[in-house]
Amino acid sequence: MDRLRVGTLGAARVTPGALIGPARRVPEVAVTAVAARDPARGRQFAAKHGIAVVHDSYEALIADPDVDAVYNPLPNSLHAPWTLRAIAAGKHVLCEKPFASNEAEAAEVADAARSAGLVVMEAFHYRYHPLARRMQDVVAGELGTLRHVEAALCFPLPRFSDIRYRFDLAGGATMDAGCYAINCIRLLAPGEPTVVSARARLHGPAVDRAMVADFRFPGGATGRIRTSLWSGQLLRLGARAVGERGEMRVLNYIAPQVFNLLTVQAGGRTRRERVRGEATYTYQLRAFAAAVLRGEPVVTTPEDAVANMRQIDDVYRAAGLPLRGTAPR
Protein backbone atom coordinates (compact mmCIF):
# COMPACT_ATOMS: atom_id res chain seq x y z
CA MET A 1 0.00 0.00 0.00
CA ASP A 2 1.47 3.36 -1.00
CA ARG A 3 -1.63 5.50 -0.46
CA LEU A 4 -4.10 5.49 2.40
CA ARG A 5 -7.76 5.58 1.39
CA VAL A 6 -9.87 7.07 4.17
CA GLY A 7 -13.62 7.00 4.62
CA THR A 8 -15.35 9.36 7.03
CA LEU A 9 -18.31 8.45 9.21
CA GLY A 10 -20.88 11.21 8.97
CA ALA A 11 -20.63 14.75 7.67
CA ALA A 12 -19.52 16.39 10.90
CA ARG A 13 -18.58 20.07 11.08
CA VAL A 14 -15.04 19.18 12.13
CA THR A 15 -14.34 16.94 9.12
CA PRO A 16 -13.35 19.55 6.50
CA GLY A 17 -10.76 21.12 8.77
CA ALA A 18 -9.58 17.93 10.44
CA LEU A 19 -9.44 15.58 7.45
CA ILE A 20 -10.42 16.88 4.02
CA GLY A 21 -8.28 20.02 3.97
CA PRO A 22 -5.22 18.27 5.43
CA ALA A 23 -5.57 15.40 2.93
CA ARG A 24 -4.99 17.92 0.14
CA ARG A 25 -1.60 18.66 1.73
CA VAL A 26 -0.69 15.05 2.49
CA PRO A 27 -0.24 13.25 -0.85
CA GLU A 28 -0.23 9.82 0.80
CA VAL A 29 -3.89 10.23 1.87
CA ALA A 30 -7.07 10.29 -0.20
CA VAL A 31 -10.54 10.80 1.27
CA THR A 32 -12.49 8.40 -0.89
CA ALA A 33 -15.83 7.81 0.83
CA VAL A 34 -18.37 9.30 3.20
CA ALA A 35 -21.32 7.73 4.96
CA ALA A 36 -24.25 9.68 6.34
CA ARG A 37 -27.52 8.62 7.90
CA ASP A 38 -29.17 11.33 5.80
CA PRO A 39 -28.31 10.33 2.20
CA ALA A 40 -29.11 13.78 0.83
CA ARG A 41 -26.73 15.39 3.27
CA GLY A 42 -24.09 12.82 2.41
CA ARG A 43 -24.38 13.52 -1.30
CA GLN A 44 -24.24 17.26 -0.71
CA PHE A 45 -21.16 16.88 1.49
CA ALA A 46 -19.45 14.63 -1.07
CA ALA A 47 -20.17 17.01 -3.94
CA LYS A 48 -18.84 19.98 -2.00
CA HIS A 49 -15.60 18.26 -1.02
CA GLY A 50 -14.94 16.09 -4.06
CA ILE A 51 -15.54 12.70 -2.43
CA ALA A 52 -16.26 10.01 -4.99
CA VAL A 53 -18.29 7.46 -2.99
CA VAL A 54 -21.32 8.04 -0.78
CA HIS A 55 -22.59 5.22 1.43
CA ASP A 56 -26.06 5.30 2.95
CA SER A 57 -24.93 3.67 6.21
CA TYR A 58 -21.89 3.54 8.46
CA GLU A 59 -21.94 -0.24 8.12
CA ALA A 60 -21.58 0.01 4.35
CA LEU A 61 -18.61 2.34 4.58
CA ILE A 62 -16.82 0.10 7.08
CA ALA A 63 -17.43 -2.90 4.81
CA ASP A 64 -16.12 -1.09 1.71
CA PRO A 65 -13.02 -2.98 0.46
CA ASP A 66 -11.74 0.23 -1.13
CA VAL A 67 -11.49 1.95 2.27
CA ASP A 68 -8.32 1.29 4.26
CA ALA A 69 -9.00 3.51 7.26
CA VAL A 70 -11.93 5.18 8.96
CA TYR A 71 -12.17 8.66 10.43
CA ASN A 72 -14.61 8.72 13.36
CA PRO A 73 -15.92 12.21 14.24
CA LEU A 74 -19.27 10.99 15.55
CA PRO A 75 -20.75 12.14 18.89
CA ASN A 76 -18.67 11.04 21.88
CA SER A 77 -20.98 8.18 22.81
CA LEU A 78 -20.46 6.64 19.36
CA HIS A 79 -16.67 6.78 19.32
CA ALA A 80 -16.04 3.41 20.95
CA PRO A 81 -18.88 1.43 19.30
CA TRP A 82 -18.01 2.46 15.75
CA THR A 83 -14.26 2.27 16.28
CA LEU A 84 -14.75 -1.29 17.49
CA ARG A 85 -16.81 -2.13 14.39
CA ALA A 86 -14.15 -0.62 12.14
CA ILE A 87 -11.42 -2.63 13.88
CA ALA A 88 -13.49 -5.81 13.49
CA ALA A 89 -13.67 -5.07 9.76
CA GLY A 90 -9.89 -4.72 9.56
CA LYS A 91 -9.80 -0.93 9.21
CA HIS A 92 -7.32 1.45 10.79
CA VAL A 93 -9.03 4.26 12.73
CA LEU A 94 -8.39 7.91 13.43
CA CYS A 95 -10.87 8.59 16.24
CA GLU A 96 -11.80 12.03 17.46
CA LYS A 97 -11.28 12.89 21.10
CA PRO A 98 -12.38 11.90 23.62
CA PHE A 99 -11.60 8.31 22.65
CA ALA A 100 -14.67 6.82 24.36
CA SER A 101 -17.38 7.57 26.89
CA ASN A 102 -15.29 6.29 29.80
CA GLU A 103 -12.16 4.36 30.70
CA ALA A 104 -13.78 0.92 30.44
CA GLU A 105 -14.87 1.59 26.85
CA ALA A 106 -11.46 2.98 25.98
CA ALA A 107 -9.75 -0.13 27.37
CA GLU A 108 -12.00 -2.35 25.25
CA VAL A 109 -11.01 -0.42 22.12
CA ALA A 110 -7.33 -0.53 23.05
CA ASP A 111 -7.49 -4.30 23.55
CA ALA A 112 -9.20 -4.77 20.19
CA ALA A 113 -6.67 -2.58 18.39
CA ARG A 114 -3.77 -4.47 19.98
CA SER A 115 -5.24 -7.86 19.08
CA ALA A 116 -5.92 -6.82 15.50
CA GLY A 117 -2.54 -5.18 14.96
CA LEU A 118 -4.17 -2.08 13.49
CA VAL A 119 -3.31 1.59 13.86
CA VAL A 120 -5.91 3.24 16.08
CA MET A 121 -5.08 6.80 16.99
CA GLU A 122 -6.81 9.39 19.16
CA ALA A 123 -7.08 12.75 17.40
CA PHE A 124 -5.33 15.05 19.86
CA HIS A 125 -4.01 17.01 16.90
CA TYR A 126 -2.07 19.59 18.93
CA ARG A 127 0.32 16.84 20.08
CA TYR A 128 1.76 16.59 16.55
CA HIS A 129 2.68 20.28 16.18
CA PRO A 130 6.31 21.30 16.95
CA LEU A 131 5.01 23.48 19.78
CA ALA A 132 4.08 20.41 21.84
CA ARG A 133 7.63 19.06 21.62
CA ARG A 134 9.06 22.51 22.39
CA MET A 135 6.89 22.73 25.51
CA GLN A 136 8.21 19.37 26.69
CA ASP A 137 11.83 20.35 25.98
CA VAL A 138 11.56 23.60 27.94
CA VAL A 139 9.98 21.92 30.95
CA ALA A 140 12.52 19.08 30.97
CA GLY A 141 15.60 21.17 30.20
CA GLU A 142 15.17 24.60 31.72
CA LEU A 143 12.78 24.65 34.67
CA GLY A 144 14.41 22.14 37.00
CA THR A 145 12.28 20.03 39.31
CA LEU A 146 8.66 20.59 38.36
CA ARG A 147 6.42 22.02 41.07
CA HIS A 148 3.17 22.90 39.32
CA VAL A 149 1.54 22.52 35.92
CA GLU A 150 -1.80 23.78 34.66
CA ALA A 151 -3.74 24.01 31.43
CA ALA A 152 -6.99 25.56 30.34
CA LEU A 153 -9.40 25.30 27.46
CA CYS A 154 -12.45 27.52 27.79
CA PHE A 155 -14.62 28.75 24.94
CA PRO A 156 -18.22 29.96 24.72
CA LEU A 157 -20.87 27.58 23.44
CA PRO A 158 -24.18 29.26 24.40
CA ARG A 159 -26.24 27.05 22.05
CA PHE A 160 -27.55 24.72 24.75
CA SER A 161 -29.26 22.44 22.22
CA ASP A 162 -25.78 21.41 21.02
CA ILE A 163 -24.97 17.70 21.39
CA ARG A 164 -22.07 18.60 23.68
CA TYR A 165 -24.62 19.34 26.41
CA ARG A 166 -26.33 15.95 26.11
CA PHE A 167 -25.51 13.34 28.74
CA ASP A 168 -26.81 10.50 26.57
CA LEU A 169 -24.24 11.44 23.92
CA ALA A 170 -21.44 11.61 26.53
CA GLY A 171 -21.36 15.37 26.53
CA GLY A 172 -19.96 17.85 29.01
CA ALA A 173 -17.21 20.44 29.22
CA THR A 174 -14.69 17.98 30.64
CA MET A 175 -15.35 15.53 27.81
CA ASP A 176 -15.27 18.03 24.96
CA ALA A 177 -12.68 20.60 26.07
CA GLY A 178 -11.27 19.41 29.38
CA CYS A 179 -9.89 16.29 27.72
CA TYR A 180 -7.35 18.61 26.02
CA ALA A 181 -6.36 20.32 29.26
CA ILE A 182 -5.94 16.98 31.03
CA ASN A 183 -3.90 15.65 28.13
CA CYS A 184 -1.71 18.76 28.25
CA ILE A 185 -0.79 18.52 31.94
CA ARG A 186 -0.05 14.82 31.41
CA LEU A 187 2.20 15.81 28.50
CA LEU A 188 4.21 18.24 30.62
CA ALA A 189 4.51 16.48 33.98
CA PRO A 190 6.13 13.07 34.59
CA GLY A 191 3.96 10.16 35.64
CA GLU A 192 0.21 9.80 35.84
CA PRO A 193 -1.54 12.15 38.29
CA THR A 194 -4.14 11.52 40.94
CA VAL A 195 -7.26 13.70 41.02
CA VAL A 196 -7.39 15.57 44.33
CA SER A 197 -10.62 17.52 43.86
CA ALA A 198 -13.01 18.77 41.18
CA ARG A 199 -15.71 21.41 41.12
CA ALA A 200 -18.32 21.56 38.39
CA ARG A 201 -20.83 24.11 37.18
CA LEU A 202 -23.78 22.34 35.66
CA HIS A 203 -26.10 22.61 32.73
CA GLY A 204 -28.82 20.22 33.75
CA PRO A 205 -28.45 17.60 36.48
CA ALA A 206 -25.50 15.60 35.11
CA VAL A 207 -23.76 17.69 32.43
CA ASP A 208 -20.93 20.05 33.33
CA ARG A 209 -20.69 23.35 31.51
CA ALA A 210 -17.48 24.18 33.41
CA MET A 211 -14.99 22.30 35.54
CA VAL A 212 -11.95 23.07 37.69
CA ALA A 213 -9.93 20.06 38.86
CA ASP A 214 -6.78 19.71 40.94
CA PHE A 215 -4.21 16.93 40.60
CA ARG A 216 -1.07 15.62 42.26
CA PHE A 217 1.73 13.91 40.34
CA PRO A 218 3.93 11.09 41.70
CA GLY A 219 6.95 13.37 42.23
CA GLY A 220 4.91 15.81 44.31
CA ALA A 221 4.08 18.38 41.64
CA THR A 222 0.55 19.75 41.64
CA GLY A 223 -1.67 20.27 38.64
CA ARG A 224 -4.85 22.10 37.73
CA ILE A 225 -7.15 22.22 34.73
CA ARG A 226 -9.86 24.73 33.92
CA THR A 227 -12.38 24.09 31.20
CA SER A 228 -15.74 25.43 30.15
CA LEU A 229 -18.30 25.62 27.39
CA TRP A 230 -20.15 28.40 29.16
CA SER A 231 -18.84 30.35 32.15
CA GLY A 232 -17.17 33.59 33.13
CA GLN A 233 -14.01 32.29 31.44
CA LEU A 234 -15.20 32.97 27.91
CA LEU A 235 -11.90 32.26 26.18
CA ARG A 236 -8.86 30.70 27.77
CA LEU A 237 -6.42 28.38 26.00
CA GLY A 238 -3.09 28.41 27.73
CA ALA A 239 -0.69 26.26 29.71
CA ARG A 240 1.78 27.00 32.50
CA ALA A 241 4.57 25.05 34.15
CA VAL A 242 6.50 26.16 37.23
CA GLY A 243 9.79 24.55 38.26
CA GLU A 244 12.46 25.25 40.84
CA ARG A 245 14.47 27.28 38.32
CA GLY A 246 11.78 29.09 36.36
CA GLU A 247 8.41 29.23 34.71
CA MET A 248 6.97 28.62 31.25
CA ARG A 249 3.72 30.06 29.94
CA VAL A 250 2.17 29.09 26.62
CA LEU A 251 -0.60 30.91 24.82
CA ASN A 252 -2.69 28.80 22.43
CA TYR A 253 -1.28 25.30 22.58
CA ILE A 254 -4.48 24.08 20.82
CA ALA A 255 -4.22 25.85 17.44
CA PRO A 256 -0.65 27.19 17.39
CA GLN A 257 -0.65 27.66 13.63
CA VAL A 258 -3.02 30.61 14.12
CA PHE A 259 -0.86 32.24 16.79
CA ASN A 260 1.19 31.04 19.73
CA LEU A 261 3.54 32.54 22.27
CA LEU A 262 5.86 30.61 24.56
CA THR A 263 7.38 32.68 27.38
CA VAL A 264 10.16 31.42 29.65
CA GLN A 265 11.27 33.19 32.82
CA ALA A 266 14.44 31.68 34.24
CA GLY A 267 17.76 32.91 35.61
CA GLY A 268 16.49 36.46 35.92
CA ARG A 269 15.72 36.66 32.21
CA THR A 270 12.56 36.49 30.12
CA ARG A 271 12.52 34.93 26.67
CA ARG A 272 9.63 34.81 24.23
CA GLU A 273 9.31 32.42 21.32
CA ARG A 274 6.87 31.64 18.56
CA VAL A 275 6.95 28.11 17.23
CA ARG A 276 5.99 28.08 13.59
CA GLY A 277 4.58 25.21 11.62
CA GLU A 278 1.75 23.85 9.57
CA ALA A 279 -1.77 23.28 10.83
CA THR A 280 -1.99 20.76 13.67
CA TYR A 281 -4.42 18.61 11.69
CA THR A 282 -1.95 18.35 8.81
CA TYR A 283 0.77 17.05 11.11
CA GLN A 284 -1.72 14.63 12.64
CA LEU A 285 -2.87 13.18 9.33
CA ARG A 286 0.71 12.85 8.14
CA ALA A 287 1.56 10.91 11.31
CA PHE A 288 -1.48 8.67 10.89
CA ALA A 289 -0.53 7.86 7.31
CA ALA A 290 3.09 7.19 8.28
CA ALA A 291 1.95 4.81 11.01
CA VAL A 292 -0.30 2.84 8.66
CA LEU A 293 1.96 2.84 5.61
CA ARG A 294 5.39 2.49 7.23
CA GLY A 295 4.80 1.44 10.82
CA GLU A 296 6.06 4.70 12.31
CA PRO A 297 5.08 5.34 15.95
CA VAL A 298 2.39 7.77 17.05
CA VAL A 299 2.13 9.63 20.35
CA THR A 300 -1.65 9.46 20.81
CA THR A 301 -1.91 5.71 21.18
CA PRO A 302 -4.91 3.74 22.46
CA GLU A 303 -3.00 3.12 25.70
CA ASP A 304 -2.51 6.86 26.20
CA ALA A 305 -6.21 7.34 25.44
CA VAL A 306 -7.12 4.89 28.20
CA ALA A 307 -4.96 6.84 30.65
CA ASN A 308 -6.58 10.12 29.63
CA MET A 309 -10.08 8.67 29.98
CA ARG A 310 -9.15 7.38 33.43
CA GLN A 311 -8.38 10.94 34.50
CA ILE A 312 -11.66 12.20 33.01
CA ASP A 313 -13.60 9.53 34.90
CA ASP A 314 -11.82 10.45 38.13
CA VAL A 315 -12.61 14.14 37.63
CA TYR A 316 -16.30 13.29 37.28
CA ARG A 317 -16.18 11.09 40.36
CA ALA A 318 -14.48 13.84 42.38
CA ALA A 319 -17.11 16.33 41.22
CA GLY A 320 -19.91 13.98 42.28
CA LEU A 321 -21.13 13.43 38.73
CA PRO A 322 -21.91 10.15 36.94
CA LEU A 323 -19.46 8.80 34.41
CA ARG A 324 -20.43 9.25 30.78
CA GLY A 325 -21.86 6.08 29.28
CA THR A 326 -23.54 5.12 32.56
CA ALA A 327 -27.02 5.77 33.91
CA PRO A 328 -27.38 9.30 35.35
CA ARG A 329 -28.22 9.50 39.01
Side-chain angles (χ1 to χ4, degrees), residues 128-142:
Y128 294 91
H129 193 277
L131 177 62
R133 171 55 64 183
R134 184 63 183 140
M135 291 162 61
Q136 287 181 297
D137 289 345
V138 169
V139 170
E142 299 187 46

Side-chain angles (χ1 to χ4, degrees), residues 237-301:
L237 57 170
R240 174 174 172 254
V242 180
E244 61 177 350
R245 296 202 302 265
E247 176 179 331
M248 177 190 74
R249 291 178 179 266
V250 180
L251 175 63
N252 195 10
Y253 65 94
I254 293 294
Q257 69 274 13
V258 177
F259 177 82
N260 69 81
L261 183 64
L262 186 151
T263 303
V264 181
Q265 294 176 311
R269 297 183 178 182
T270 299
R271 183 182 79 254
R272 295 178 177 84
E273 303 177 13
R274 285 191 62 193
V275 179
R276 302 186 184 277
E278 298 176 83
T280 54
Y281 288 113
T282 301
Y283 285 111
Q284 174 178 263
L285 189 60
R286 190 176 291 125
F288 182 60
V292 173
L293 299 175
R294 293 183 294 281
E296 295 183 16
V298 300
V299 295
T300 55
T301 62

Side-chain angles (χ1 to χ4, degrees), residues 181-229:
I182 290 171
N183 191 269
C184 186
I185 65 170
R186 292 180 53 246
L187 171 72
L188 297 178
E192 291 295 338
T194 299
V195 176
V196 176
S197 65
R199 302 171 299 285
R201 294 181 180 179
L202 300 183
H203 173 72
V207 176
D208 51 316
R209 61 180 175 85
M211 184 77 75
V212 177
D214 291 303
F215 302 78
R216 185 170 295 278
F217 286 85
T222 58
R224 170 170 285 190
I225 64 111
R226 294 180 184 272
T227 188
S228 70
L229 302 178

Side-chain angles (χ1 to χ4, degrees), residues 52-313:
V53 178
V54 181
H55 291 290
D56 60 6
S57 71
Y58 301 155
E59 293 89 348
L61 183 140
I62 287 172
D64 187 340
D66 294 322
V67 168
D68 307 307
V70 170
Y71 173 59
N72 184 350
L74 298 173
N76 297 340
S77 62
L78 301 180
H79 286 176
W82 284 102
T83 296
L84 286 168
R85 293 187 190 190
I87 292 170
K91 310 298 185 184
H92 306 280
V93 183
L94 176 60
C95 181
E96 272 301 336
K97 35 55 58 185
F99 198 62
S101 295
N102 52 55
E103 181 193 355
E105 283 190 3
E108 184 181 359
V109 175
D111 288 345
R114 190 180 308 111
S115 297
L118 295 167
V119 174
V120 178
M121 184 170 132
E122 186 174 23
F124 275 120
H125 53 96
Y126 86 97
R127 290 283 302 272
Y128 294 91
H129 193 277
L131 177 62
R133 171 55 64 183
R134 184 63 183 140
M135 291 162 61
Q136 287 181 297
D137 289 345
V138 169
V139 170
E142 299 187 46
L143 303 189
T145 302
L146 192 65
R147 293 175 176 169
H148 180 73
V149 62
E150 59 189 55
L153 181 55
C154 304
F155 56 86
L157 185 66
R159 190 174 65 253
F160 296 116
S161 61
D162 191 279
I163 62 171
R164 284 170 279 190
Y165 288 109
R166 285 181 54 177
F167 182 85
D168 62 319
L169 295 181
T174 307
M175 291 290 285
D176 193 70
C179 63
Y180 280 105
I182 290 171
N183 191 269
C184 186
I185 65 170
R186 292 180 53 246
L187 171 72
L188 297 178
E192 291 295 338
T194 299
V195 176
V196 176
S197 65
R199 302 171 299 285
R201 294 181 180 179
L202 300 183
H203 173 72
V207 176
D208 51 316
R209 61 180 175 85
M211 184 77 75
V212 177
D214 291 303
F215 302 78
R216 185 170 295 278
F217 286 85
T222 58
R224 170 170 285 190
I225 64 111
R226 294 180 184 272
T227 188
S228 70
L229 302 178
W230 186 247
S231 73
Q233 296 284 338
L234 288 182
L235 185 62
R236 192 167 178 175
L237 57 170
R240 174 174 172 254
V242 180
E244 61 177 350
R245 296 202 302 265
E247 176 179 331
M248 177 190 74
R249 291 178 179 266
V250 180
L251 175 63
N252 195 10
Y253 65 94
I254 293 294
Q257 69 274 13
V258 177
F259 177 82
N260 69 81
L261 183 64
L262 186 151
T263 303
V264 181
Q265 294 176 311
R269 297 183 178 182
T270 299
R271 183 182 79 254
R272 295 178 177 84
E273 303 177 13
R274 285 191 62 193
V275 179
R276 302 186 184 277
E278 298 176 83
T280 54
Y281 288 113
T282 301
Y283 285 111
Q284 174 178 263
L285 189 60
R286 190 176 291 125
F288 182 60
V292 173
L293 299 175
R294 293 183 294 281
E296 295 183 16
V298 300
V299 295
T300 55
T301 62
E303 291 73 24
D304 189 72
V306 173
N308 213 66
M309 288 306 309
R310 181 180 307 124
Q311 297 297 327
I312 292 171
D313 283 2

